[in-house]
Amino acid sequence: IDKVTDEVKSLIEKELSLIDQIQEVYNLHTETDYLIKIIAKDITDYKSIIHDKISTKIPNIKSIRTTQIKQIIKQDNSLKLNI
């Protein structure tokens, strides 16, 4: 994020929430401000989402770093509590 203010963060979070292909958005305590999970049908669609819906549409985004998943080893959304 270029300018970190509550107003800017709220705007970015609102805009990210409106993109259908984004499934999850996390605000982080790291160098990277946000972690987002995008579901795309292929690499062309992925690049289009990044360029057309995020980097050119949402103000104050300084840079975007991407990582693509090669293989899912484990994915479990259930919550197991040992109480």
Side-chain angles (χ1 to χ4, degrees):
I1 298 176
D2 195 24
K3 299 175 185 176
V4 182
T5 66
D6 289 340
E7 184 179 335
V8 168
K9 287 171 56 177
S10 291
L11 173 66
I12 290 171
E13 291 165 11
K14 178 185 173 200
E15 292 297 322
L16 290 173
S17 297
L18 295 173
I19 300 170
D20 291 334
Q21 295 90 343
I22 294 179
Q23 285 196 330
E24 300 171 21
V25 179
Y26 301 93
N27 184 271
L28 306 175
H29 285 289
T30 64
E31 214 175 277
T32 303
D33 296 302
Y34 291 95
L35 171 67
I36 63 174
K37 181 178 177 182
I38 297 173
I39 302 297
K41 59 185 171 186
D42 55 31
I43 192 67
T44 303
D45 187 40
Y46 179 78
K47 288 179 180 180
S48 174
I49 295 163
I50 295 293
H51 181 267
D52 300 337
K53 296 186 176 189
I54 298 175
S55 66
T56 59
K57 297 279 185 188
I58 303 174
N60 297 307
I61 293 182
K62 184 176 178 181
S63 65
I64 296 176
R65 185 175 3 162
T66 66
T67 302
Q68 297 170 9
I69 295 172
K70 179 178 172 182
Q71 178 184 12
I72 297 172
I73 306 303
K74 179 180 178 179
Q75 185 175 34
D76 184 356
N77 296 328
S78 64
L79 180 61
K80 298 172 182 86
L81 299 176
N82 296 323
I83 299 176

